[in-house]
Amino acid sequence: MDYYIHESSYIDEGVTIGDGTKIWHFSHIQQGAVIGKNCSLGQNVNIANHVKIGNGVKIQNNVSVYEGVELEDYVFCGPSMVFTNDVTPRSKYPKGSAGYKRTLVKYGASIGANATIVCGVTIGRWAMIAAGAVVTKDVPDHALIVGVPGKQVGWVCECGRVLTDGWNCKICRRAYFLIEGGLEEKDD
């Protein structure tokens, strides 16, 4: 057991936690969840049944990752951002897991504080969702999404900088080209 779990957190049976992961105060990891290596889960984080979280993921305080959501490696979830898993929830008529829509957050994507991700979408690699944005449709790789509802207003480099000079990063010098589904890094 080469991970850290704060004494105030609950870990159900049948959970897998990777080496180097840290789970902080008042968190709950539910049965069947898989959490990769070197992750950081902040205070008051809930990981629902059967959720899969990749390596190097950072989940800030007050985030619930509901069943049907998958986070690939190096995803960042800002404080109090929200995932959903049912497009038409009703307390009187619960559908259970059979009615949940799948949400996928791909490698390296970042979701800002208080953003909402409506279920059934895919957020592309290295995409950046601004604080407070509401994502209702798929997001291309490297897209910058802002507003309610979320709209693409630009492109973001792997290093996190907004691309303002075509598809070339002034900071880290990566260069991109446009493909269907987003940006792709040029090979030198």
Side-chain angles (χ1 to χ4, degrees), residues 35-187:
I35 301 171
K37 297 176 183 178
N38 301 312
C39 294
S40 177
L41 281 64
Q43 179 175 304
N44 196 36
V45 168
N46 179 62
I47 306 299
N49 295 320
H50 312 295
V51 165
K52 183 179 178 198
I53 295 174
N55 299 317
V57 172
K58 293 189 185 328
I59 302 174
Q60 300 296 328
N61 296 351
N62 305 312
V63 174
S64 292
V65 183
Y66 295 114
E67 189 170 354
V69 176
E70 179 180 347
L71 308 178
E72 291 185 351
D73 295 347
Y74 301 102
V75 165
F76 175 87
C77 296
S80 300
M81 62 79 46
V82 175
F83 288 106
T84 68
N85 64 1
D86 188 339
V87 176
T88 57
R90 291 286 194 215
S91 178
K92 187 172 180 181
Y93 303 102
K95 296 180 217 63
S97 61
Y100 297 156
K101 299 280 186 193
R102 182 172 190 261
T103 299
L104 175 61
V105 183
K106 290 187 173 182
Y107 191 103
S110 292
I111 303 169
N114 293 307
T116 298
I117 310 303
V118 176
C119 58
V121 302
T122 296
I123 297 175
R125 294 177 310 110
W126 301 111
M128 179 88 61
I129 310 303
V134 177
V135 175
T136 60
K137 59 186 180 180
D138 289 351
V139 173
D141 293 350
H142 294 274
L144 173 60
I145 306 294
V146 302
V148 179
K151 291 186 173 39
Q152 183 176 354
V153 297
W155 299 100
V156 180
C157 181
E158 180 178 324
C159 75
R161 305 288 191 230
V162 176
L163 298 174
T164 58
D165 182 23
W167 298 313
N168 300 306
C169 182
K170 292 178 182 178
I171 305 302
C172 73
R173 305 287 183 222
R174 285 184 177 88
Y176 297 91
F177 61 96
L178 187 62
I179 61 167
E180 186 175 332
L183 293 183
E184 185 72 32
E185 188 172 355
K186 289 181 181 178
D187 292 330

